Every structure is written in structure tokens, then in C-alpha cells.
Amino acid sequence: MYDTISINTDARGVATLTLARPEKHNALSAQMIAELTDAANMLGQDDTVRVVVLTGEGKSFCAGGDLAWMQEQMAADRETRFSEARKIATMLYALNTLPKPLIGRLQGNAFGGGVGMTSVCDVAIGVDTLTMGLTETRLGLIPATIGPYVLVRMGETMARRVFMSSRLFGAEEAVSLGLLAKAVSADDLDKTVEAEVIPYLTCAPEAIARAKALTRRLGTPINDDVIDHTISELVACWEGQEAKDGVAAFFEKRPAPWIKQTSSD
């Protein structure tokens, strides 16, 4: 049914939604974005599904947006840019409002959009060896469409520590920032995720859905105006020279033009 993701549901109704582009570190391509949106809608409407676990194949949970896809947007017309930016915003919104518990199982690193994918989970557990980072500004981009979810998860004070600098950080700091609920050994990952799943299987599914919707209604609003603004900001970056220079430098394996010597030696 899908090429870039997989879904497996056990007899209890626990669905495991897996990002399945390990050769690309589960980077979010146009196809994966579309498939994740469809999967979120399908899982949300399936009464047999009680809990969804989001994870990835291979060494990385999610390396962020596929840079080849972003490069295509820089060369596209303006209408296409807005359309493609809206697709990723729609995918994030669909996962964030999924009327089922969404538990992140981070078996590896998460960068950029991968931090956004972590932030739309109701709770996220990661291996204690992982590295995370909002790395967009290294490329002349910004954490745009993921921004509302990252800010809700971390709060502005915490977010400002890592939102603009592209600084990498480990699992322990990810816990302190609020991105991860727990950081555990790889051997304990499944056991710890299962401990998050079990309580939901004793709760009324409709009550869970209503309670989750209520948290979003009472929390910081992520409405159409907010989403439209993030889309406009992403497109503005795609249209700017810095993103063109940054992404080109990445593919050509050379320093971006703004990189300065970090040592006085």
C-alpha cells in the first residue's frame, strides 16, 4: 500500500507506523509526506486502532526534509512552492491532531523535520545515544512548518536555546528541553515504549480522543493563521539566496559562504 512507510497493527490494536527510507535516513520526501498524511487520516478513522507508535527503520529516526525535494521547490514556480509547503504543514497537522495516542519511538537521530515529527507525538522515548538538532539555519532555511509544534513542546525559553543555532545536542539535553520524555538504552527502548502503551489499553477510546482534543483546544492554538504564516516563511526561504547557496554547498560538499573560522588560531 505504501512505499516509504509501513503500518503493522497487532491484535491489541497497537499500530506501529514506521518511516521506511533507511537508505536516506528517513528524510521526508514528497512521497513520504503524502503517505504519512494518508496514514494519519486512515489510522484516525480506524476504530480498531487504539494506539499508534511512530518509529523509523535503520540508524536514523528522521533526518528532516529531503534536500533534493527542497531543491526542486527552489526551482519551481511560486504556486508550486506554496502547494508543496502546505503539504508538509498538512501532514504535521494531521499527525498532531490524530485522535489516538501517538507515541514516538526514536531508535536513532532526529534532525530538522525529525525534531518536528518528535514534537507532534504525545510522548516520545529515545535511545540514549541519539543526537538531535534543528539544523535548518546551517542551510539558509528555518524550522518553519515544524515551528509551532516545537514551540508547544519546548516552550519559547527552551526553544531559543536551539531553534536558531543549528547546535546538535544529545538525548539527555533533549529530555531537559522537553522533546523526549525519557532516554533509555537501546535494549530498554521497546520495554519503555510498551510501558507507555499499556495504560491506554485500559481507557475508553472516545474519551481518549476527546481528552486529547481538549488539550489542543486549551493549549497554545495552532490555527490556520499560524500554519499559513509558517508556510509563507518556508516559501520565503526557498525563494531567498541563502537557501540556494546553503543547499548547493551541501550537495557540493563545500562550506556555505557564511561560514566563518571558529577559532582565533
Side-chain angles (χ1 to χ4, degrees):
M1 182 177 180
Y2 298 118
D3 294 323
T4 67
I5 63 174
S6 66
I7 301 173
N8 293 288
T9 306
D10 68 21
R12 304 173 300 169
V14 179
T16 301
L17 172 57
T18 304
L19 309 180
R21 296 183 77 210
E23 74 287 355
K24 297 292 185 180
H25 294 276
N26 297 319
L28 296 164
S29 64
Q31 184 177 6
M32 181 180 276
I33 290 165
E35 291 183 352
L36 282 167
T37 304
D38 183 78
N41 292 329
M42 182 269 290
L43 291 166
Q45 296 169 16
D46 188 342
D47 291 339
T48 67
V49 173
R50 302 284 300 274
V51 183
V52 179
V53 176
L54 177 64
T55 190
E57 287 184 9
K59 295 180 179 179
S60 300
F61 171 66
C62 178
D66 187 290
L67 291 184
W69 170 72
M70 290 191 187
Q71 201 169 39
E72 289 174 8
Q73 309 325 311
M74 294 173 198
D77 59 78
R78 202 155 200 262
E79 182 178 353
T80 299
R81 290 178 186 136
F82 271 95
S83 174
E84 292 301 299
R86 185 165 296 280
K87 288 176 183 177
I88 190 168
T90 299
M91 179 270 289
L92 291 163
Y93 184 81
L95 287 170
N96 191 59
T97 57
L98 181 73
K100 316 283 171 119
L102 181 61
I103 299 172
R105 176 189 178 277
L106 276 69
Q107 87 294 351
N109 297 343
F111 303 117
V115 177
M117 296 289 282
T118 304
S119 298
V120 298
C121 295
D122 299 307
V123 62
I125 310 297
V127 292
D128 55 13
T129 55
L130 65 71
T131 300
M132 303 182 80
L134 291 151
T135 51
E136 288 87 347
T137 53
R138 288 186 185 181
L139 299 166
L141 296 163
I142 61 173
T145 52
I146 67 170
Y149 308 102
V150 174
L151 265 291
V152 166
R153 177 54 59 90
M154 298 169 66
E156 182 184 352
T157 299
M158 291 294 191
R160 286 172 70 162
R161 295 183 182 182
V162 294
F163 200 77
M164 301 87 75
S165 68
S166 288
R167 178 173 65 79
L168 303 183
F169 50 90
E172 183 178 350
E173 187 170 2
V175 172
S176 70
L177 290 169
L179 287 170
L180 298 179
K182 295 177 182 177
V184 299
S185 69
D187 290 341
D188 288 336
L189 181 61
D190 288 334
K191 178 177 66 177
T192 308
V193 169
E194 179 69 6
E196 296 291 338
V197 168
I198 288 174
Y200 287 114
L201 302 179
T202 69
C203 299
E206 185 176 340
I208 290 173
R210 285 181 176 275
K212 180 170 179 176
L214 185 62
T215 66
R216 295 303 321 123
R217 180 64 181 269
L218 299 178
T220 303
I222 301 176
N223 54 29
D224 289 345
D225 288 344
V226 170
I227 291 171
D228 287 348
H229 182 67
T230 68
I231 290 169
S232 295
E233 285 295 300
L234 179 56
V235 171
C237 285
W238 284 345
E239 292 178 339
Q241 190 59 46
E242 283 189 340
K244 293 180 177 66
D245 290 343
V247 173
F250 175 86
F251 281 115
E252 294 168 15
K253 298 182 179 180
R254 58 174 172 79
W258 51 77
I259 292 179
K260 303 298 182 183
Q261 193 75 19
T262 57
S263 173
S264 57
D265 295 338

